[in-house]
Amino acid sequence: MQAKRDEKERIAMIVGKQKPFEEIWEMIKSFKKVLVFGCNTCVAICHAGGGKEAEILASLIRMKAAQEDISMEVKHAAIERQCEPEFFEHVADELRASDVVLSLACGVGVNFLSDRTGDTPAYPGINTEFFGAVEKAGIFKELCAGCGGCILHLTGGICPVARCSKSIMNGPCGGTSDGKCEISQDVDCAWYLIVERMKKLGTLEKLSEIMLPKDWSTGLYGGPRRVVLEHIAEEGKES
Amino acid sequence: MVKVAEAGVQEEVPSIEKPHETPSDWEPNILAFACHYCAFAAADLAGVMRLSYPASVKVVRLPCTGKLDYIHILHAFEKGVDGVFVAG
């Protein structure tokens, strides 16, 4: 188990942050049977929505309900991933038996779960923040924006879309100062990092090449996206 | 692989007190989590010295207070203790 967790901690993932308790309480206080439902992959690593956090939140909700003199049955459960159908088997009945499922998965998980809870609503317990990496314990950093048109081979492995505050393709802009971005001294200038990195790699001349304007339609600007692997999805086509 | 223990739903009946007036002779129920190697040993020593503490304090010995998770403290409050004392 430990080895598995270490392996997970090295990978990039979706980072989320639990919503303020008052916001969660307002969402669920009118329901009688609440299931707090964790997701044990990405959001467990960032300590926002795993089985452990689900158990803690369920406890807090029970205590709040008692304080407010509201009769409420609060249970908790968790599965490995709320974004794949296979993992739902064990909890399918429990999901449907609840009046509301408070999902601690990322937004993907809540959407996916919502299709599987029948008449039971699925509400979000966390705010999904970004695709990130574990810089060190307790620090998560956005490194990719999922734009659908990767140019990391041209920018020294540093993404200007995610890491430049303006997502510009021809930086650094005038707001760069001693390697920091003008929005905050805590934010590195991505283009400063790109130039320094490319100098080190000996590939700086790549920046002199004229590039076509970036096609932003592959990002969310082009509408919801879908990837189909035809050689795998073949069977499902008819159903 | 899904771990059944994690996927299963925990059945638990909470016994949280509702807010009420505090009686004048009230004594708080305290649950103490004590580390085997320091705080619990100190409590043992206190016992040898015939020092006493209120009967409303219950001590749980842990191999190390580093093992104490948030949920253990929350469960204690859910079960109606008034305060949790962690010593280690």
Side-chain angles (χ1 to χ4, degrees), chain A residues 59 62 69 76 78 91 94, chain B residues 6-7 9-10 18 69 74 78:
Chain A
S59 172
R62 277 194 293 271
D69 210 6
H76 69 271
V91 285
E94 203 60 47
Chain B
E6 282 180 343
V9 175
Q10 189 189 6
K18 294 191 173 68
D69 216 334
L74 292 171
E78 276 197 58

Side-chain angles (χ1 to χ4, degrees), chain B residues 31-83:
Chain B
L31 183 66
F33 289 104
C35 164
H36 169 78
Y37 293 98
C38 51
F40 195 85
D44 254 356
L45 184 63
V48 172
M49 292 165 72
R50 298 285 184 265
L51 299 172
S52 65
Y53 60 89
S56 58
V57 178
K58 303 288 184 293
V59 184
V60 175
R61 181 175 58 153
L62 296 181
C64 170
T65 41
K67 183 71 192 82
L68 186 67
D69 216 334
Y70 298 116
I71 196 65
H72 301 128
I73 298 171
L74 292 171
H75 277 162
F77 284 124
E78 276 197 58
K79 294 291 179 193
V81 303
D82 301 299

